[in-house]
């Protein structure tokens, strides 16, 4: 299974929008794109997921390209507490019995004051 | 508490020692996952339970690793004859609805295992 591709690290100024890219060029039609983040020494935390439409919740927005080969997670107003490793993943859809999340190495996002 | 809990939070074992790591999922969650996370890496899937049934153990690295969830709630990951390469953080996650893959997984804080 091909993992997603993300830049290893990014910086963003506090108060600005953080845009985190992810490539998933081999994603299948029934696979969702998931984003989690992991703050130092804690377990991962769910952020958002989507299939093909753009999604928004109280934490972030997820923009998925029309061909579904890439996506961008947007944190609209980054704060210092958003400093974490952000993981973009594929998860097989509900018709598949394998519920694995396929994790990559993630992007370390550093929010600077 | 309402979240996933794991114990112990830290475990130091001598090479060759057996260890048991415990996970208490969110009450009522039917799905439970174990992951292994090496330093600086993303989590790697180990095994998956739906209630008491272990539906996928394809990620267990060797037959020294064994997981169980006998009553469909608490789970234990056991590692026999620990080796230095077993040193990692072991994460447990649970999610709610059977048969629905696109559930949020709730993670515990992990158990950091160090094998000397």
């Amino acid at each position: 299974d091909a993992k997603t591709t993300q830049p290893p690290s990014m910086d963003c100024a506090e108060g600005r929008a953080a845009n985190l890219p992810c490539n998933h060029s081999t994603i299948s039609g029934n696979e969702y794109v998931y984003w989690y983040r992991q703050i130092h020494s804690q377990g991962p935390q769910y952020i958002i997921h989507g299939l093909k439409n753009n999604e928004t919740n109280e934490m972030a927005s997820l923009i998925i390209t029309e061909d579904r080969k890439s996506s961008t997670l947007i944190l609209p107003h980054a704060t210092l507490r958003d400093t974490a490793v952000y993981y973009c993943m594929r998860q097989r859809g509900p018709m598949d019995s394998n519920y694995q999340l396929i994790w990559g190495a993630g992007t370390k996002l550093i929010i600077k004051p | 508490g309402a979240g996933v809990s794991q114990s112990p939070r830290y475990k130091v074992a001598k090479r060759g020692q057996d260890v048991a790591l415990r996970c208490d999922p969110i009450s009522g969650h039917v799905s439970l996952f174990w992951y292994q996370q090496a330093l600086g890496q993303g989590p790697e899937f180990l095994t998956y339970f739906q209630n008491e049934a272990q539906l996928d153990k394809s990620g267990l690295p060797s037959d020294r690793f064994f997981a169980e969830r006998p009553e469909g709630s608490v789970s234990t990951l056991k590692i026999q004859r620990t080796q230095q390469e077993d040193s990692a953080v072991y994460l447990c996650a649970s999610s709610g609805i059977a048969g629905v893959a696109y559930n949020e997984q709730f993670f515990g804080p992990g158990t950091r295992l160090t094998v000397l």
Side-chain angles (χ1 to χ4, degrees):
Chain A
D1 292 311
K3 295 182 177 180
T4 59
T5 304
Q6 298 176 256
S9 65
M10 290 181 63
D11 292 345
C12 179
E14 187 179 17
R16 298 281 191 167
N19 296 284
L20 292 93
C22 178
N23 285 325
H24 31 80
S25 58
T26 61
I27 197 167
S28 300
N30 66 346
E31 290 184 332
Y32 289 78
V33 178
Y34 270 71
W35 284 83
Y36 280 70
R37 73 180 183 184
Q38 188 171 25
I39 295 169
H40 183 61
S41 297
Q42 298 182 21
Q45 175 193 25
Y46 167 83
I47 302 174
I48 199 167
H49 76 280
L51 185 61
K52 52 185 176 182
N53 297 321
N54 297 338
E55 302 288 343
T56 295
N57 63 20
E58 65 278 4
M59 289 182 69
S61 295
L62 174 61
I63 309 298
I64 303 174
T65 58
E66 192 168 342
D67 62 9
R68 301 209 329 119
K69 292 185 177 182
S70 65
S71 61
T72 301
L73 179 75
I74 301 172
L75 307 179
H77 305 287
T79 71
L80 297 178
R81 289 192 291 183
D82 292 323
T83 292
V85 178
Y86 287 76
Y87 294 98
C88 165
M89 292 168 290
R90 301 155 49 187
Q91 180 177 5
R92 292 186 176 89
M95 299 306 293
D96 195 296
S97 62
N98 185 339
Y99 300 121
Q100 290 186 38
L101 286 172
I102 305 169
W103 300 74
T107 295
K108 183 170 178 58
L109 176 66
I110 299 173
I111 306 300
K112 298 189 171 181
Chain B
V4 178
S5 61
Q6 293 186 246
S7 60
R9 289 294 314 276
Y10 303 91
K11 176 69 178 178
V12 178
K14 292 182 179 179
R15 191 175 59 178
Q17 186 178 352
D18 297 349
V19 298
L21 312 180
R22 177 188 169 105
C23 173
D24 285 80
I26 292 173
S27 178
H29 275 187
V30 299
S31 297
L32 186 144
F33 305 80
W34 283 99
Y35 295 89
Q36 180 189 59
Q37 186 173 26
L39 189 63
Q41 303 294 318
E44 295 280 350
F45 170 82
L46 292 177
T47 187
Y48 161 66
F49 289 87
Q50 186 171 310
N51 297 306
E52 69 278 2
Q54 190 175 20
L55 298 188
D56 189 341
K57 54 182 180 179
S58 62
L60 297 176
S62 77
D63 58 7
R64 296 186 294 105
F65 287 71
F66 172 76
E68 60 183 4
R69 194 186 184 198
E71 297 179 358
S73 55
V74 172
S75 178
T76 303
L77 176 67
K78 298 179 180 178
I79 308 174
Q80 297 177 323
R81 305 180 304 280
T82 52
Q83 304 295 316
Q84 285 188 321
E85 62 263 29
D86 299 335
S87 295
V89 174
Y90 290 85
L91 294 163
C92 174
S94 70
S95 66
I97 303 171
V100 179
Y102 47 88
N103 275 294
E104 172 184 354
Q105 292 186 21
F106 294 83
F107 282 81
T111 294
R112 181 176 296 277
L113 173 66
T114 303
V115 181
L116 302 178

